[in-house]
Amino acid sequence: MGLHVERDKLPNLKKMTHVLLDVAQGAEYLHKNHIIHGDVKPDNILLKADPSSPIGFRAKITDFGLSINLGPTATHVSNMRPGTPFYCSPEVSIDGRATKASDVFSFGIVLSELCSGTPPFQKVRGSDYEANPSFPYFPSYMPSSLKNLALRCMDTDTSARPTFKEIVSILQGV
């Protein structure tokens, strides 16, 4: 089962930050090895018991069905098939152009959802979904450093998004 949180339920900030840090470190490792995951979302983050972790478990990125190896000199991939709607970056959804910043955008969506319990979509009828007008939602208990990080990750300008190296550094300071 993937990672999910209830809206307005006060999360354990220590556990939440550790989960986000595990995911960011995993994505940083992938990016160092020139791999774009392509589908970062809560269902692709699994929690595994780990007594050596300060919170008793580790978060692991899974499902590499859309991942792609960039090669050491490539900066992007064209004609990328979009991942899960509502977690997919605008440049992939619109142009099929994926970069490492595309994973960062998806991470920002996950960060916001994890902190608030508010998903980027809502069910409208039957099995239909649409964008959630109240997303992103930042509850008052959410530290401003996490809110600012989420907004930077979700910036429509790919060059304004942080790298996973920077994200790891910020999360280590929370």
Side-chain angles (χ1 to χ4, degrees):
M1 171 170 249
L3 177 67
H4 294 281
V5 178
E6 293 177 42
R7 183 180 167 108
D8 292 325
K9 184 177 179 187
L10 189 64
N12 179 316
L13 290 175
K14 179 181 178 185
K15 286 183 179 179
M16 183 179 66
T17 304
H18 273 278
V19 166
L20 291 167
L21 182 59
D22 283 349
V23 173
Q25 288 171 329
E28 179 184 26
Y29 176 83
L30 292 174
H31 286 190
K32 279 183 186 175
N33 288 285
H34 313 290
I35 297 170
I36 297 174
H37 184 275
D39 199 17
V40 177
K41 63 181 182 178
D43 285 345
N44 290 342
I45 299 168
L46 301 182
L47 304 178
K48 181 181 179 195
D50 183 348
S52 69
S53 167
I55 58 171
F57 58 85
R58 297 245 181 240
K60 302 284 186 180
I61 301 172
T62 64
D63 190 352
F64 291 86
L66 292 178
S67 66
I68 190 154
N69 189 328
L70 278 177
T73 59
T75 59
H76 70 280
V77 175
S78 296
N79 300 318
M80 175 82 169
R81 195 173 81 229
T84 304
F86 307 111
Y87 294 93
C88 192
S89 68
E91 64 273 10
V92 173
S93 294
I94 296 166
D95 301 325
R97 182 180 170 95
T99 66
K100 293 175 182 178
S102 304
D103 282 348
V104 171
F105 182 91
S106 300
F107 178 82
I109 301 284
V110 170
L111 188 162
S112 180
E113 182 175 357
L114 178 61
C115 291
S116 69
T118 303
F121 58 87
Q122 61 186 9
K123 195 170 191 173
V124 286
R125 62 193 158 281
S127 60
D128 292 338
Y129 292 86
E130 67 183 16
N132 185 344
S134 62
F135 185 87
Y137 167 71
F138 300 107
S140 59
Y141 57 76
M142 185 172 174
S144 60
S145 57
L146 290 179
K147 175 184 174 183
N148 293 336
L149 179 59
L151 290 172
R152 285 185 59 211
C153 289
M154 294 185 289
D155 198 306
T156 55
D157 178 0
T158 58
S159 65
R161 296 178 199 154
T163 64
F164 274 107
K165 182 177 182 176
E166 186 180 352
I167 292 169
V168 165
S169 178
I170 291 167
L171 291 172
Q172 287 172 332
V174 172

